[in-house]
Amino acid sequence: MFSYILLILVTMCFISLILCPPYWREFRRKQISKTPFKKEWRKIIQRRMPFFKKMPADLQLQLKQHIQIFLSEKTFKGLKGLSITDEIKVTIAAQACLLLLNRKTDYYPKLKTILVYPRAFVKEHQVTDATGVQSTKDTVLAGESWSYGKIVLSWQDTLDGAYLTEDGHNVVIHEFAHQLDQEDGYSNGAPILGSHQSYEQWAEVFSTQYHELQRRAQNAIPSIFDYYGATNPAEFFAVASEVFFEKSHKLKQQYPKLYHQLSLYYRVDPTSW
Ligand SMILES: [Zn+2]
């Protein structure tokens, strides 16, 4: 009789595992977030991300829980001889998870692997000139986000981005903002918005500021945004996300509507940190 009941229970568990993976994933994440945060990891964040100390205690706690879950689900691979250490994993995870605070999140569901080069890397790509002649061109990159499964980062640029908190450049924020943008299948500068936000207002504000940056870039007028943001709307969203976290006061002062949209989206107000 006992073995019969046990068999039924095991079968039920097995079926529920197959039919309800989101439930079990959620259960697993809850358990992970309850485990104590490693002291060494906290030291890494404090040393590598000065930003962290300024954040309110409740956001620091949330960030640490997100880091634990993020690190349990993503794979890291070192390239060009780089060995992956906790220092690398925690520094990247801490910045990536800044974008997930105060919301229900699925932790960049499409992303499986983070590839890390020791420093900026060269990517070769095909270009076609006005006469139709094709050639290869090398571009030096600090990071790259793919729509399915991977992000590539330069460790040196990751360190600089985390440590220099007010220069408006942060490659991890940039590439992970692309991941958020790509969650709906399109890389167009319009991520999935919550019900408290309007796509019309988002499009109006972002398109106005994107075209303003294009005008500035064409006429070499200084901007708080890197001119790279004028490449296309997806790059503008990624660059604006860097500025939102790293030059929040200037952004709020100069572009209050854009700041408002981003603070609704990211559900934090970095000017108060
Ligand atoms: Zn980009």
Side-chain angles (χ1 to χ4, degrees), residues 30 36 44 48 55 73 109-110 121 158 166 182 187-188 242 269:
K30 273 210 174 81
I44 292 169
R48 293 299 189 191
M55 293 168 65
E73 296 184 4
K110 290 178 182 173
F121 51 96
T158 297
E166 290 174 9
Q182 290 157 352
S187 186
N188 56 6
E242 294 176 77
D269 178 8

mmCIF file of all heavy atoms in Angstrom, residues 30 36 44 48 55 73 109-110 121 158 166 182 187-188 242 269:
data_model
loop_
_atom_site.group_PDB
_atom_site.id
_atom_site.type_symbol
_atom_site.label_atom_id
_atom_site.label_comp_id
_atom_site.label_asym_id
_atom_site.label_seq_id
_atom_site.Cartn_x
_atom_site.Cartn_y
_atom_site.Cartn_z
ATOM 1 N N LYS A 30 13.128 31.374 -5.761
ATOM 2 C CA LYS A 30 12.822 31.844 -4.389
ATOM 3 C C LYS A 30 13.810 31.248 -3.399
ATOM 4 O O LYS A 30 14.300 31.926 -2.501
ATOM 5 C CB LYS A 30 11.392 31.445 -3.998
ATOM 6 C CG LYS A 30 10.372 32.474 -4.429
ATOM 7 C CD LYS A 30 9.178 32.475 -3.468
ATOM 8 C CE LYS A 30 8.224 33.609 -3.809
ATOM 9 N NZ LYS A 30 7.333 33.270 -4.921
ATOM 10 N N PRO A 36 22.096 32.950 2.002
ATOM 11 C CA PRO A 36 22.906 34.134 2.346
ATOM 12 C C PRO A 36 23.840 34.520 1.202
ATOM 13 O O PRO A 36 24.376 33.647 0.515
ATOM 14 C CB PRO A 36 23.714 33.659 3.562
ATOM 15 C CG PRO A 36 23.064 32.405 4.031
ATOM 16 C CD PRO A 36 22.352 31.801 2.868
ATOM 17 N N ILE A 44 33.399 42.134 -3.659
ATOM 18 C CA ILE A 44 33.655 42.394 -5.089
ATOM 19 C C ILE A 44 32.774 43.558 -5.563
ATOM 20 O O ILE A 44 33.259 44.496 -6.208
ATOM 21 C CB ILE A 44 33.370 41.135 -5.954
ATOM 22 C CG1 ILE A 44 34.391 40.039 -5.643
ATOM 23 C CG2 ILE A 44 33.405 41.484 -7.438
ATOM 24 C CD1 ILE A 44 34.052 38.673 -6.231
ATOM 25 N N ARG A 48 34.311 46.955 -6.952
ATOM 26 C CA ARG A 48 34.234 47.177 -8.401
ATOM 27 C C ARG A 48 33.132 48.139 -8.823
ATOM 28 O O ARG A 48 33.175 48.699 -9.907
ATOM 29 C CB ARG A 48 34.028 45.834 -9.122
ATOM 30 C CG ARG A 48 35.200 44.883 -9.021
ATOM 31 C CD ARG A 48 36.437 45.486 -9.646
ATOM 32 N NE ARG A 48 37.521 44.523 -9.760
ATOM 33 C CZ ARG A 48 38.756 44.867 -10.075
ATOM 34 N NH1 ARG A 48 39.066 46.129 -10.302
ATOM 35 N NH2 ARG A 48 39.691 43.954 -10.168
ATOM 36 N N MET A 55 23.157 53.220 -3.265
ATOM 37 C CA MET A 55 21.773 52.741 -3.448
ATOM 38 C C MET A 55 21.081 52.504 -2.105
ATOM 39 O O MET A 55 21.727 52.097 -1.139
ATOM 40 C CB MET A 55 21.782 51.430 -4.249
ATOM 41 C CG MET A 55 22.233 51.591 -5.676
ATOM 42 S SD MET A 55 22.566 50.006 -6.471
ATOM 43 C CE MET A 55 20.955 49.263 -6.503
ATOM 44 N N GLU A 73 21.870 30.823 -13.321
ATOM 45 C CA GLU A 73 21.201 30.456 -14.576
ATOM 46 C C GLU A 73 22.021 30.723 -15.835
ATOM 47 O O GLU A 73 21.699 30.207 -16.897
ATOM 48 C CB GLU A 73 19.855 31.213 -14.683
ATOM 49 C CG GLU A 73 18.888 30.802 -13.593
ATOM 50 C CD GLU A 73 17.523 31.459 -13.716
ATOM 51 O OE1 GLU A 73 17.279 32.189 -14.701
ATOM 52 O OE2 GLU A 73 16.688 31.238 -12.818
ATOM 53 N N PRO A 109 15.443 36.019 -20.350
ATOM 54 C CA PRO A 109 15.154 34.613 -20.650
ATOM 55 C C PRO A 109 15.850 34.047 -21.890
ATOM 56 O O PRO A 109 16.149 32.856 -21.928
ATOM 57 C CB PRO A 109 13.629 34.594 -20.831
ATOM 58 C CG PRO A 109 13.241 36.012 -21.065
ATOM 59 C CD PRO A 109 14.227 36.849 -20.335
ATOM 60 N N LYS A 110 16.119 34.883 -22.887
ATOM 61 C CA LYS A 110 16.749 34.331 -24.101
ATOM 62 C C LYS A 110 18.253 34.155 -23.937
ATOM 63 O O LYS A 110 18.889 33.447 -24.697
ATOM 64 C CB LYS A 110 16.486 35.259 -25.297
ATOM 65 C CG LYS A 110 15.049 35.250 -25.760
ATOM 66 C CD LYS A 110 14.872 36.219 -26.911
ATOM 67 C CE LYS A 110 13.422 36.249 -27.349
ATOM 68 N NZ LYS A 110 13.195 37.297 -28.359
ATOM 69 N N PHE A 121 37.659 43.804 -28.480
ATOM 70 C CA PHE A 121 37.921 42.759 -29.476
ATOM 71 C C PHE A 121 37.577 43.263 -30.878
ATOM 72 O O PHE A 121 36.825 44.220 -31.040
ATOM 73 C CB PHE A 121 37.136 41.485 -29.144
ATOM 74 C CG PHE A 121 35.666 41.733 -28.900
ATOM 75 C CD1 PHE A 121 34.728 41.563 -29.915
ATOM 76 C CD2 PHE A 121 35.215 42.160 -27.646
ATOM 77 C CE1 PHE A 121 33.377 41.787 -29.694
ATOM 78 C CE2 PHE A 121 33.859 42.402 -27.413
ATOM 79 C CZ PHE A 121 32.946 42.209 -28.440
ATOM 80 N N THR A 158 34.321 46.430 -19.144
ATOM 81 C CA THR A 158 33.342 46.160 -18.078
ATOM 82 C C THR A 158 33.811 46.797 -16.772
ATOM 83 O O THR A 158 33.029 47.437 -16.055
ATOM 84 C CB THR A 158 33.182 44.631 -17.882
ATOM 85 O OG1 THR A 158 32.668 44.094 -19.086
ATOM 86 C CG2 THR A 158 32.240 44.315 -16.738
ATOM 87 N N GLU A 166 30.268 58.175 -13.517
ATOM 88 C CA GLU A 166 29.576 59.382 -13.987
ATOM 89 C C GLU A 166 29.976 59.809 -15.390
ATOM 90 O O GLU A 166 29.765 60.954 -15.779
ATOM 91 C CB GLU A 166 29.835 60.530 -12.986
ATOM 92 C CG GLU A 166 29.110 60.271 -11.676
ATOM 93 C CD GLU A 166 29.443 61.280 -10.604
ATOM 94 O OE1 GLU A 166 30.095 62.286 -10.907
ATOM 95 O OE2 GLU A 166 29.049 61.036 -9.450
ATOM 96 N N GLN A 182 15.258 43.401 -27.076
ATOM 97 C CA GLN A 182 15.053 42.270 -27.995
ATOM 98 C C GLN A 182 14.066 41.226 -27.466
ATOM 99 O O GLN A 182 13.732 40.276 -28.169
ATOM 100 C CB GLN A 182 16.418 41.587 -28.265
ATOM 101 C CG GLN A 182 17.359 42.446 -29.104
ATOM 102 C CD GLN A 182 18.830 42.082 -28.918
ATOM 103 O OE1 GLN A 182 19.179 41.288 -28.053
ATOM 104 N NE2 GLN A 182 19.694 42.658 -29.741
ATOM 105 N N SER A 187 14.495 44.471 -32.337
ATOM 106 C CA SER A 187 15.477 45.368 -31.752
ATOM 107 C C SER A 187 15.195 46.755 -32.334
ATOM 108 O O SER A 187 15.687 47.114 -33.403
ATOM 109 C CB SER A 187 16.880 44.884 -32.146
ATOM 110 O OG SER A 187 17.839 45.642 -31.490
ATOM 111 N N ASN A 188 14.314 47.501 -31.662
ATOM 112 C CA ASN A 188 13.844 48.751 -32.257
ATOM 113 C C ASN A 188 13.784 49.914 -31.261
ATOM 114 O O ASN A 188 13.197 50.949 -31.535
ATOM 115 C CB ASN A 188 12.464 48.545 -32.889
ATOM 116 C CG ASN A 188 11.458 48.000 -31.867
ATOM 117 O OD1 ASN A 188 11.773 47.886 -30.679
ATOM 118 N ND2 ASN A 188 10.273 47.669 -32.324
ATOM 119 N N GLU A 242 22.422 53.900 -20.481
ATOM 120 C CA GLU A 242 23.709 54.176 -19.808
ATOM 121 C C GLU A 242 23.657 55.539 -19.124
ATOM 122 O O GLU A 242 24.068 55.695 -17.971
ATOM 123 C CB GLU A 242 24.850 54.202 -20.828
ATOM 124 C CG GLU A 242 25.161 52.889 -21.502
ATOM 125 C CD GLU A 242 26.247 53.063 -22.557
ATOM 126 O OE1 GLU A 242 27.421 53.168 -22.197
ATOM 127 O OE2 GLU A 242 25.912 53.114 -23.769
ATOM 128 N N ASP A 269 14.757 55.703 -9.406
ATOM 129 C CA ASP A 269 15.074 57.105 -9.597
ATOM 130 C C ASP A 269 16.529 57.339 -9.160
ATOM 131 O O ASP A 269 16.791 57.672 -8.012
ATOM 132 C CB ASP A 269 14.119 57.969 -8.773
ATOM 133 C CG ASP A 269 14.439 59.448 -8.894
ATOM 134 O OD1 ASP A 269 15.294 59.811 -9.739
ATOM 135 O OD2 ASP A 269 13.865 60.243 -8.125
#
